[in-house]
């Protein structure tokens, strides 16, 4: 429960308690199943949900997903938002996180993710897939599919994943990137669509002054939040930035490398949002490797079956009950006679 603010309660359990209150039911399993299968919880636009998270006084959390089923699992776990990770999306196609997957392929997958969920998705949009013109076109296409925001990094296209060791990480011209942010904000039709500017100065080996200068320029260009990235194993770069930033606007962090840092420390620093960036993808790889190896070695499913999701659970996640209900409603009850 450490990730959950004392002022908030996971959305699934709020709806579950509501079911108990109104229906006076004692069958918790039935209620939970129905709760997890039902449609949207919130009536607010996804963009508005994300904007409220970014401006919330509480530390907020979003979790990585990379396809429809992982997105639904993230929502049903209780998370209020989804990170459409570039690394995870590329990995599920088994291509490198260097813009080898086209932006149209990414958008196609996001449509499935958005359709499967009612919580906002913040896309890891790399560099915007080109210059300002490519980036602003992307924003329109994301809006069309119900995506809540795009996070763009100030590196050159094609990008290199920030966690690589010993790889060049050339930065974009600061003014050009600031104007790209402005172009995206000018292009959006929904005023709550969020543009997050990801600053890669620390990743590229520059210091605090460069990180602060770039963050300030991007915030002035209209960015709704700054994602300050670091691949150190401790949060010292983030600490230095947060102190110098002095609460000029929302700040997002990605503690993949400094994961041992207590979450309370992020609250104390004034961080607005934490992204758990790639862990569902990595957990899936480990599970598939172990399951495949065990079946290969044993030539049997006997010891594996109790450890994996049931087929019934797959059907539940796919919302098979809705189709059964729709068939009862829309298909003829009697076979047609010749």
């Amino acid at each position: 429960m450490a990730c959950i603010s004392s002022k908030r309660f996971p959305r699934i359990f709020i709806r579950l308690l509501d079911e108990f209150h109104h229906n006076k039911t004692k069958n918790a399993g039935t209620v939970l199943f129905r709760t997890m299968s039902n449609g949207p919880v919130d009536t607010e636009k996804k963009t508005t949900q994300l904007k409220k998270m970014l401006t919330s006084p509480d530390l907020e959390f979003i979790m990585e997903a990379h396809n429809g089923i992982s997105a639904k699992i993230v929502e049903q776990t209780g998370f209020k938002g989804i990170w459409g990770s570039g690394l995870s999306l590329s990995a599920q196609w088994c291509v490198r996180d260097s813009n080898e997957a086209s932006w149209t392929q990414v958008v196609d997958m996001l449509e499935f993710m958005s359709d499967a969920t009612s919580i906002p998705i913040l896309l890891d949009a790399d560099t915007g897939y080109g210059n300002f013109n490519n980036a602003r076109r992307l924003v329109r296409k994301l809006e069309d599919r119900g995506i809540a925001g795009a996070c763009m990094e100030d590196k050159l296209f094609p990008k290199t994943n920030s966690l690589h060791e010993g790889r060049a990480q050339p930065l974009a011209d600061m003014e050009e990137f600031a104007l790209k942010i402005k172009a995206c904000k000018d292009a959006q039709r929904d005023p709550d669509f969020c543009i997050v500017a990801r600053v890669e100065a620390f990743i590229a080996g520059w210091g605090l002054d460069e990180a602060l200068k770039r963050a300030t320029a991007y915030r002035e260009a209209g960015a709704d939040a700054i994602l300050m990235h670091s691949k150190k194993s401790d949060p010292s770069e983030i600490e230095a930035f947060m102190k110098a930033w002095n609460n000029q606007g929302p700040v997002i962090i990605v503690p993949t490398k400094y994961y041992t840092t207590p979450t309370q420390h992020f609250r104390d620093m004034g961080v607005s949002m934490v992204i758990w960036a790639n862990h569902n993808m990595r957990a899936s790889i480990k599970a598939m490797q172990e399951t495949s190896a065990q079946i290969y070695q044993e030539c049997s499913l006997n010891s594996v079956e109790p450890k994996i999701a049931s087929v019934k659970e797959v059907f539940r996640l796919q919302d098979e009950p809705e189709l059964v209900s729709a068939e009862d409603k829309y298909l003829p009850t009697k076979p047609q006679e010749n």
Side-chain angles (χ1 to χ4, degrees), residues 26 66 96 111 165 176 183 186 191 196 263 301-302 320 324:
K26 296 180 181 179
H66 48 276
R96 290 162 290 214
E111 184 171 2
E165 297 294 341
E176 181 180 359
D186 288 345
V196 175
T263 300
L301 302 176
N302 190 49
E320 190 70 23
V324 172

Side-chain angles (χ1 to χ4, degrees), residues 52-238:
K52 285 186 175 181
M53 291 178 72
L54 291 176
T55 57
S56 168
D58 298 320
L59 178 62
E60 301 285 1
F61 303 88
I62 61 175
M63 180 71 183
E64 169 264 320
H66 48 276
N67 54 27
I69 202 163
S70 60
K72 178 165 277 192
I73 288 169
V74 167
E75 177 173 20
Q76 293 187 349
T77 300
F79 282 100
K80 295 163 58 181
I82 295 167
W83 173 244
S85 162
L87 172 60
S88 297
L89 284 163
S90 60
Q92 55 97 29
W93 285 306
C94 204
V95 298
R96 290 162 290 214
D97 187 20
S98 298
N99 298 123
E100 291 185 345
S102 71
W103 72 266
T104 55
Q105 290 172 310
V106 171
V107 168
D108 283 346
M109 181 59 75
L110 286 169
E111 184 171 2
F112 284 101
M113 294 168 64
S114 182
D115 286 348
T117 54
S118 64
I119 58 176
I121 299 172
L122 176 61
L123 171 64
D124 176 6
D126 295 338
T127 63
Y129 306 100
N131 69 4
F132 79 93
N133 193 43
N134 305 90
R136 67 179 180 174
R137 179 170 170 78
L138 173 68
V139 167
R140 291 291 184 94
K141 297 304 180 183
L142 294 176
E143 286 185 305
D144 290 343
R145 288 156 179 80
I147 306 305
C151 177
M152 299 184 190
E153 61 193 75
D154 58 349
K155 291 196 298 200
L156 300 180
F157 177 88
K159 55 80 65 80
T160 300
N161 186 280
S162 302
L163 301 183
H164 280 299
E165 297 294 341
R167 296 279 294 276
Q169 300 281 358
L171 297 182
D173 176 79
M174 184 179 69
E175 181 181 8
E176 181 180 359
F177 189 79
L179 289 171
K180 181 187 290 186
I181 295 295
K182 184 179 187 305
C184 290
K185 293 303 294 181
D186 288 345
Q188 70 185 63
R189 294 159 291 191
D190 182 341
D192 286 345
F193 186 89
C194 295
I195 298 293
V196 175
R198 173 168 154 177
V199 179
E200 294 281 296
F202 290 139
I203 298 295
W206 295 83
L208 175 61
D209 289 344
E210 184 69 16
L212 191 61
K213 181 170 65 173
R214 286 174 174 265
T216 301
Y218 306 156
R219 180 66 175 166
E220 291 175 351
D224 296 284
I226 299 298
L227 192 158
M228 186 54 59
H229 209 4
S230 172
K231 62 179 178 182
K232 291 189 68 174
S233 60
D234 63 73
S236 56
E237 291 177 331
I238 303 300

Side-chain angles (χ1 to χ4, degrees), residues 327-336:
E327 288 174 343
D328 289 341
K329 184 176 182 180
Y330 299 117
L331 290 179
T333 56
K334 296 181 179 180
Q336 292 183 350

Side-chain angles (χ1 to χ4, degrees), residues 258-324:
Y258 48 99
Y259 59 87
T260 60
T261 305
T263 300
Q264 184 58 44
H265 189 47
F266 304 146
R267 292 190 177 96
D268 295 341
M269 284 193 287
V271 171
S272 302
M273 178 178 285
V274 172
I275 296 174
W276 310 123
N278 47 51
H279 297 78
N280 275 331
M281 176 270 294
R282 289 163 56 195
S284 299
I285 290 174
K286 183 71 171 175
M288 287 189 287
Q289 288 173 331
E290 291 177 353
T291 300
S292 295
Q294 187 168 359
I295 293 173
Y296 176 77
Q297 291 162 7
E298 297 177 1
C299 296
S300 171
L301 302 176
N302 190 49
S303 58
V304 166
E305 189 64 31
K307 303 176 184 178
I308 61 176
S310 67
V311 175
K312 184 180 291 186
E313 172 64 2
V314 177
F315 290 160
R316 185 192 68 79
L317 287 165
Q318 294 172 314
D319 203 7
E320 190 70 23
E322 189 281 330
L323 179 58
V324 172

